[in-house]
């Protein structure tokens, strides 16, 4: 039995045989990740790790989106250095737990997967996205850099040059464009729920312990690089939050206008 120490309504866990379904549950906020939700995800994942019965973890979003990213209100509060670092450490805990957990993991993306929400999806082993969904690593629009290991995962999937260009561009991609680039793994034509179920069944019918062992070997090899990038993102993001361009980006976002960046 999975017992959760940190309980929150912003994350729902449903266990069905060998499959755990983790649902991000702030539909009114497009599942934007606030501290409570981040901690809830991490605690649930850690409990799932302890269960020998569970082999597959599916992450999905309630309502209209997978996750629109980090909660903008959390970003707006001009937190002091130590508060900000605590939040970043919570994000790191979530990402490292998900990336290296001894289960195979799937993200089912509907609606938007943006910013930190997309980093979360990238930390899973397989991303399946609805054709109408939108994918964005869009931190640049508010003068920030990707976090949640965004640099690590984008480089892993695209190589350094393409990853840089896509991060700098920051534009929203259709599911098919993201698939063509290799950022996501599947965009089904037919019924989305059926396609997700088909993937789960395919994996349930495999010698999944062998899949998990391969995952663990690669995750163990890459873990030092991921930890390094998470640390660089933490200090880099704090610096970016002090910039004039970030203040302008946030102001423009709230005033629904185009930002006027100065490179300061």
């Amino acid at each position: 039995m999975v017992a959760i120490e940190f309980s929150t309504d912003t994350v729902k866990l449903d266990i069905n045989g060998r499959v755990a379904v983790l649902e991000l549950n702030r539909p009114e906020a497009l599942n934007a990740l606030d501290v409570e939700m981040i901690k809830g995800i991490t605690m649930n994942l850690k409990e799932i790790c302890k269960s020998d019965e569970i082999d597959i973890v599916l992450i999905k979003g309630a309502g209209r989106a997978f996750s629109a990213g980090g909660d903008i209100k959390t970003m707006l509060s001009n937190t002091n250095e130590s508060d900000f670092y605590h939040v970043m450490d919570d994000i790191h805990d979530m990402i490292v737990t998900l990336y290296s957990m001894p289960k195979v993991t799937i993200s089912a993306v509907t609606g938007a997967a943006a910013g930190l929400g997309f980093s979360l999806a990238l930390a899973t082993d397989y991303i399946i996205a609805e054709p109408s969904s939108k994918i964005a690593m869009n931190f640049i629009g508010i003068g920030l850099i990707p976090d949640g290991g965004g640099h690590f995962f984008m480089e892993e999937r695209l190589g350094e040059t393409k990853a840089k260009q896509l991060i700098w561009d920051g534009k929203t991609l259709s599911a098919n464009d993201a698939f063509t680039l290799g950022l996501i793994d599947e965009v089904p034509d037919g019924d989305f729920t059926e396609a997700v179920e088909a993937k789960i069944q395919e994996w349930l019918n495999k010698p999944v312990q062998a899949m998990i062992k391969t995952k663990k070997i690669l995750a163990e090899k890459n873990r030092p690089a991921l930890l390094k990038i998470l640390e660089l993102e933490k200090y880099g993001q704090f610096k970016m939050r002090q910039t004039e361009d970030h203040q302008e980006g946030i102001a423009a976002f709230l005033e629904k206008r185009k930002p006027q960046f100065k490179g300061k």
Side-chain angles (χ1 to χ4, degrees), residues 180-202:
T180 304
L181 284 165
L183 269 179
I184 62 175
D185 304 298
E186 186 185 341
V187 184
D189 290 333
D191 184 87
F192 184 69
T193 309
E194 281 174 22
V196 173
E197 194 49 47
K199 191 73 208 169
I200 290 170
Q201 284 306 320
E202 180 196 324

Side-chain angles (χ1 to χ4, degrees), residues 105-120:
T105 56
I106 302 174
S107 291
V109 172
T110 52
L116 182 59
F118 187 43
S119 292
L120 177 71

